[in-house]
């Protein structure tokens, strides 16, 4: 695992965007696994800036997103479909047909999850998976104490995740209680993983995830077993790890 330190959120975003940019330049047909949450927004902003300058081209790129809320459609401002279009897709030349996100309005969630796994496999797997880190160590919507052996599936969100995400909803009671997420198995099958983490609020969980025991209690701890993980984090996020002298 490589840990790359950035001075601040902007630096973290630029370094992570550089890694994604390199991936797309090296393989114009890359399959990018993408993430939502507040942390990756700066990464997308940077990629958009480089796209506008002509430095990066998304025409041949395929994307698969980690997760989506059950019950929210593309026109709901809190759906991850909406997020991805607002923060990224609408500003670059990615082709609509190359965008893949679980359909939050699917009637048959089990079939939707199976279709999603099939899509990822037909694309040849994920070349580079971008991840954020939940406050409790979740990745995608893989909550603590879940199985490490699942592909895309439906999850019941934990109260902590519901309340952490309530800040994005006009009506906090409107946060969905279920989501579809790529499983830990799907994430671990990505050829490369890039995790972005920012702020002192994540310092403790990042320390536990990277240097604590590998346990379903901290889903991100499984990344210790992946052969190609890069963590780009700012000083705040790395502050606890630094006190141990581990970096
Ligand atoms: C949500 C998303 C995760 C994300 C997490 C952390 O739960 N499903 O993919 O990593 O939030 O978000 P933030 O970056 O806002 O802390």
């Amino acid at each position: 695992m490589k840990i790359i330190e950035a001075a601040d959120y902007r630096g973290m975003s630029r370094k992570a965007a550089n890694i994604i940019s390199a991936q797309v330049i090296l393989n114009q047909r890359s399959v990018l696994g993408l993430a939502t949450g507040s942390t990756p927004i700066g990464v997308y902003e940077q990629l958009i800036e480089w796209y506008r300058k002509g430095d990066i081209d998304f025409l041949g790129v395929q994307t698969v997103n980690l997760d989506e809320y059950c019950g929210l459609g593309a026109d709901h401002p809190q759906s991850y479909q909406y997020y991805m279009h607002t923060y990224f897709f609408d500003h670059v030349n990615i082709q609509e047909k190359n965008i893949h996100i679980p359909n939050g309005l699917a009637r048959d969630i089990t079939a939707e999850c199976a279709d999603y796994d099939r899509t990822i496999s037909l694309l040849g797997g994920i070349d580079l998976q971008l991840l954020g880190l939940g406050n409790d160590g979740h990745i995608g919507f893989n909550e603590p104490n879940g199985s490490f052996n699942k592909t895309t599936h439906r999850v019941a969100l934990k109260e902590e995740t519901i309340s952490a995400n309530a800040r994005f909803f006009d009506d906090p009671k409107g946060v969905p209680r279920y989501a579809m997420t790529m499983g830990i198995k799907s994430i671990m099958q990505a050829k490369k993983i890039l995790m972005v983490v920012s702020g002192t609020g994540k310092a403790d969980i990042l320390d536990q995830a990277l240097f604590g025991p590998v346990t379903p209690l901290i889903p991100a701890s499984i990344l210790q077993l992946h052969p190609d993980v890069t963590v780009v984090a700012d000083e705040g996020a790395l502050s606890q790890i630094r006190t141990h002298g581990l970096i």
Side-chain angles (χ1 to χ4, degrees):
M1 175 177 308
K2 291 188 201 80
I3 301 178
I4 297 176
E5 185 170 8
D8 53 19
Y9 178 75
R10 183 145 196 274
M12 177 209 75
S13 303
R14 285 175 67 88
K15 285 181 199 292
N18 260 304
I19 293 169
I20 295 173
S21 180
Q23 170 68 40
V24 172
I25 290 167
L26 287 168
N27 176 8
Q28 293 176 359
R29 297 181 173 277
S30 288
V31 180
L32 298 181
L34 297 179
T36 53
S38 50
T39 313
I41 291 175
V43 178
Y44 296 134
E45 284 173 355
Q46 186 61 74
L47 289 172
I48 292 166
E49 191 185 320
W50 288 333
Y51 164 74
R52 288 189 176 138
K53 284 186 177 160
D55 289 346
I56 180 168
D57 181 357
F58 292 95
L59 197 66
V61 167
Q62 300 269 350
T63 65
V64 283
N65 260 79
L66 278 170
D67 47 10
E68 179 60 288
Y69 287 114
C70 292
L72 303 192
D75 56 353
H76 190 291
Q78 298 312 327
S79 72
Y80 287 164
Q81 281 263 12
Y82 192 97
Y83 168 114
M84 287 307 304
H85 280 89
T86 305
Y87 289 113
F88 189 42
F89 297 148
D90 289 353
H91 311 281
V92 296
N93 65 336
I94 186 139
Q95 301 188 70
E96 192 65 36
K97 69 178 172 65
N98 290 353
I99 293 171
H100 310 280
I101 303 181
N103 175 10
L105 296 180
R107 286 193 173 196
D108 184 341
I109 300 282
T110 310
E112 177 65 13
C113 291
D115 274 357
Y116 204 65
D117 287 339
R118 212 166 303 122
T119 299
I120 296 171
S121 134
L122 286 172
L123 291 173
I126 299 166
D127 293 308
L128 176 65
Q129 176 66 56
L130 177 64
L131 294 178
L133 178 64
N135 292 324
D136 58 3
H138 71 253
I139 45 179
F141 268 135
N142 291 281
E143 299 277 30
N145 240 347
S147 161
F148 277 163
N149 203 25
K150 285 194 177 165
T151 55
T152 308
H153 61 290
R154 187 180 86 136
V155 276
L157 301 176
K158 297 250 190 273
E159 283 308 322
E160 195 197 345
T161 302
I162 292 171
S163 52
N165 290 337
R167 66 199 149 120
F168 300 114
F169 285 76
D170 292 338
D171 172 11
K173 291 201 193 89
V175 188
R177 308 196 76 79
Y178 294 92
M180 273 172 278
T181 184
M182 278 187 209
I184 295 290
K185 187 173 177 184
S186 335
I187 292 170
M188 289 297 280
Q189 282 170 347
K191 292 168 195 124
K192 292 180 187 159
I193 292 179
L194 170 61
M195 187 161 77
V196 285
V197 195
S198 173
T200 50
K202 300 265 173 84
D204 180 46
I205 197 68
L206 183 61
D207 185 17
Q208 291 186 59
L210 302 191
F211 295 102
V214 175
T215 163
L217 294 172
I218 313 274
S221 65
I222 190 76
L223 299 177
Q224 295 178 38
L225 304 183
H226 190 283
D228 193 341
V229 177
T230 303
V231 178
V232 183
D234 61 17
E235 272 178 22
L238 288 171
S239 54
Q240 183 154 323
I241 292 174
R242 191 163 286 290
T243 60
H244 300 164
L246 291 170
I247 53 161

